[in-house]
Amino acid sequence: MSKNKYNYPPKLSIARFLLDAEGVRRNPIPFHKRYFDKFGDSFSIKIGKSRHIILSRDNDVAQYILQKNHKNYHKSKFQSVYLSKYLGKGLLTVDGEFWLKQRRLIQPAFHKQKMNLLVENMKSIIVSELDNLQKEEQVDLFPVMSEVAFNVVAKSLFQFSISEEKLNRIKFIIEEVQNFLIKEIRLPHKAWWFSVSGQVKKHLELAEENNRIIQQIIEERTSSKNEVNDLLNMLLETRYEDSGEGMSISQLIDEIKILFIAGHETTANALTFTLFLLGNNPEVQQQVFEEITKIESETEDIVEQLQKMTYTNAVLNESMRLYPPAWITDRQNVEDDILGEFNIKKGTLIGVSFYELHRNPKYWNNPDEFIPERFLGDQKKISMQYFYPFGAGPRMCIGAGFAIYEMCLVISHIVKNHHIISLKNTAGFNPLITLKPVDVKVVFSKR
């Protein structure tokens, strides 16, 4: 394809982009909306002489790069370089043959039958975490849900193998490293300062400390020979198809770090927004309560209960439509390609805003309204075509089933025991790597 045959979606001028840069850095979503309203479902930015960025809320673009031609679209440097510097080379940060090998290895540990084995333990952790939920006073939801979600992941990974001290240290390190990573990504012009001031070195040392803590836990488990029903045990039992060998300790550490990061913050975000929406929609909250009460009268089996939570799942889906925890994804094409009506050069950075796609009026009626019925009956089949709470295609989140079980258990336990009242009609958020809730406050009262 010759140079003059490349063509791109309508262009946002570099001058406009630079004028808006500081605001975009703080919160890109209002700016993205303005650009989509002006240019349509995809727009582009030209950087320098030949580099292009495309941002899209077009479902055809999302399906093409994530599913139909996914082999030509690898993760961007943001994910493969920045994240891997601190998180290592796990499923989230690698591409190509190595990613495929790891995915095939780890997938069986997240099979539905395996997840069913973890449910009892998961429920007992959730019940104990929510026992001391503050009542009749303002509660800032995100810190509470973050604590619950982190402990569910940690204790599902290491059922009996971790002290509170180690648990708290892992949590502290993950939060510190993640906050610094955001600064590095959003303030690239300060890279020199982060380096000379010792901040990069400090955070790399924290990441190494995290590695040592996890390695110690793994070594204690392997030397104890105890049979424990947790994710660590499932991962230790996995074997590569070609060699019959298990993962190396260093690779296992990298995968566990990814599970911590991907498995706790996104879940905490989704739970926070879901409870906020229930607090603003008492009639929906009542329907969830009635469904849970009915199900619990029919069976005591937790897995059966989860499988019957049709309406609760619809509520959760509608919440993740409005506030997708992983609100944006990006890819770069390995070779020149035709993307819809556009001929794009290899190395083009393509971002898909799930936040905007999930609110695109082309696909959703009354897109800004909370309507759980979108995910019930025949309507669900239509909605699922435009719905990306866990990504799509071969790289769809491996822990989606785990997250849905966990969130349904948390929602059902809270709604069964409490009335939720939200104190505001709108939820604040900060679009970082995930869509992080800000100052979302509710009051819980005993039901």
Side-chain angles (χ1 to χ4, degrees):
M1 196 179 284
S2 64
K3 187 177 177 181
N4 62 0
K5 287 195 176 175
Y6 296 124
N7 68 307
Y8 283 83
K11 286 186 175 61
L12 174 71
S13 75
I14 194 68
R16 180 77 264 165
F17 176 70
L18 292 172
L19 280 170
D20 291 344
E22 191 53 42
V24 169
R25 197 171 288 129
R26 285 196 298 270
N27 182 356
I29 283 177
F31 292 92
H32 289 174
K33 177 164 176 35
R34 195 181 307 162
Y35 304 149
F36 284 128
D37 287 347
K38 180 178 180 181
F39 296 116
D41 288 344
S42 297
F43 64 89
S44 64
I45 306 162
K46 188 176 181 183
I47 308 288
K49 286 188 175 181
S50 60
R51 183 125 191 272
H52 286 84
I53 298 171
I54 295 173
L55 190 68
S56 184
R57 62 174 186 180
D58 187 313
N59 194 58
D60 290 341
V61 170
Q63 287 194 342
Y64 186 76
I65 69 170
L66 299 176
Q67 292 175 286
K68 293 177 181 175
N69 198 25
H70 67 91
K71 288 183 179 176
N72 192 37
Y73 290 86
H74 282 191
K75 295 214 163 190
S76 70
K77 282 187 177 177
F78 156 64
Q79 297 181 67
S80 60
V81 176
Y82 278 102
L83 284 177
S84 64
K85 184 165 68 172
Y86 300 107
L87 299 183
K89 298 194 178 299
L91 275 182
L92 189 67
T93 58
V94 296
D95 261 311
E97 287 301 314
F98 183 64
W99 167 80
L100 185 59
K101 185 179 179 182
Q102 286 303 108
R103 179 83 183 202
R104 283 176 175 164
L105 175 74
I106 295 169
Q107 186 79 54
F110 286 88
H111 190 274
K112 200 165 189 178
Q113 287 174 315
K114 295 273 190 182
M115 290 300 98
N116 291 350
L117 297 173
L118 298 177
V119 163
E120 291 278 356
N121 184 39
M122 201 187 286
K123 184 171 184 180
S124 66
I125 297 163
I126 288 165
V127 170
S128 69
E129 287 291 323
L130 294 173
D131 257 358
N132 298 317
L133 209 55
Q134 292 174 317
K135 297 173 194 66
E136 309 300 344
E137 57 185 272
Q138 287 188 25
V139 174
D140 189 357
L141 260 182
F142 179 72
V144 176
M145 291 302 109
S146 182
E147 186 77 12
V148 171
F150 184 84
N151 286 331
V152 169
V153 170
K155 290 170 185 177
S156 296
L157 263 165
F158 315 125
Q159 191 172 343
F160 302 113
S161 312
I162 188 163
S163 66
E164 287 297 319
E165 183 186 358
K166 283 179 185 172
L167 197 60
N168 291 334
R169 188 63 184 165
I170 290 172
K171 188 176 185 190
F172 170 79
I173 291 170
I174 286 172
E175 287 175 355
E176 285 290 301
V177 167
Q178 204 169 358
N179 289 338
F180 181 65
L181 181 62
I182 294 294
K183 281 169 68 176
E184 278 195 302
I185 292 162
R186 291 206 172 174
L187 304 169
H189 57 289
K190 289 191 174 180
W192 67 273
W193 169 246
F194 295 146
S195 186
V196 299
S197 64
Q199 292 182 62
V200 172
K201 183 170 182 275
K202 173 192 164 186
H203 288 88
L204 285 171
E205 285 171 354
L206 280 173
E208 272 305 310
E209 182 189 346
N210 201 22
N211 289 353
R212 288 194 298 273
I213 294 170
I214 295 169
Q215 181 168 349
Q216 189 181 359
I217 294 164
I218 294 167
E219 287 172 350
E220 285 170 2
R221 172 66 62 82
T222 51
S223 63
S224 75
K225 308 292 184 191
N226 286 344
E227 277 294 316
V228 181
N229 185 29
D230 60 11
L231 273 171
L232 175 57
N233 197 54
M234 292 175 188
L235 292 171
L236 285 166
E237 287 178 348
T238 58
R239 294 291 178 268
Y240 290 109
E241 290 175 356
D242 54 352
S243 67
E245 293 177 356
M247 267 186 280
S248 67
I249 294 290
S250 62
Q251 189 61 48
L252 186 54
I253 290 167
D254 285 352
E255 299 299 353
I256 285 169
K257 285 188 293 185
I258 297 293
L259 291 175
F260 264 122
I261 298 285
H264 110 265
E265 189 162 303
T266 50
T267 304
N269 295 354
L271 283 168
T272 300
F273 289 123
T274 304
L275 292 168
F276 159 79
L277 288 163
L278 288 174
N280 271 318
N281 293 273
E283 72 291 347
V284 176
Q285 191 179 150
Q286 181 61 27
Q287 276 187 259
V288 172
F289 173 75
E290 287 170 7
E291 177 179 76
I292 292 157
T293 307
K294 181 175 182 290
I295 290 167
E296 290 191 350
S297 71
E298 292 170 351
T299 177
E300 291 182 2
D301 185 283
I302 300 169
V303 174
E304 280 183 36
Q305 290 175 358
L306 286 163
Q307 289 165 349
K308 290 185 173 190
M309 289 184 192
T310 310
Y311 187 73
T312 305
N313 262 287
V315 168
L316 189 54
N317 282 343
E318 178 66 347
S319 167
M320 291 191 291
R321 180 189 70 82
L322 287 168
Y323 302 101
W327 69 280
I328 194 166
T329 194
D330 59 48
R331 295 289 190 272
Q332 279 181 285
N333 53 321
V334 181
E335 300 293 341
D336 289 359
D337 203 0
I338 298 170
L339 187 66
E341 60 193 274
F342 306 107
N343 297 327
I344 64 170
K345 188 178 181 182
K346 73 175 182 180
T348 298
L349 180 65
I350 303 163
V352 174
S353 171
F354 296 135
Y355 181 90
E356 286 294 341
L357 197 160
H358 284 181
R359 292 169 182 252
N360 189 335
K362 186 158 81 175
Y363 312 122
W364 308 92
N365 294 323
N366 304 311
D368 295 323
E369 289 185 26
F370 176 61
I371 307 171
E373 287 72 21
R374 297 182 207 270
F375 293 93
L376 293 173
D378 291 339
Q379 183 59 41
K380 181 178 180 180
K381 292 173 194 168
I382 298 166
S383 296
M384 293 303 282
Q385 298 174 73
Y386 314 111
F387 184 51
Y388 299 85
F390 299 103
R395 296 202 73 134
M396 187 170 167
C397 173
I398 200 168
F402 181 96
I404 290 167
Y405 273 3
E406 178 187 350
M407 291 189 285
C408 284
L409 286 169
V410 171
I411 292 162
S412 63
H413 183 79
I414 289 177
V415 170
K416 189 174 73 169
N417 293 288
H418 303 86
H419 290 283
I420 311 157
I421 301 167
S422 294
L423 300 181
K424 291 181 182 175
N425 292 324
T426 55
F429 54 76
N430 189 3
L432 301 173
I433 295 173
T434 64
L435 193 69
K436 191 170 184 178
V438 175
D439 195 33
V440 176
K441 290 181 177 163
V442 302
V443 172
F444 294 109
S445 58
K446 192 163 178 60
R447 189 175 280 276

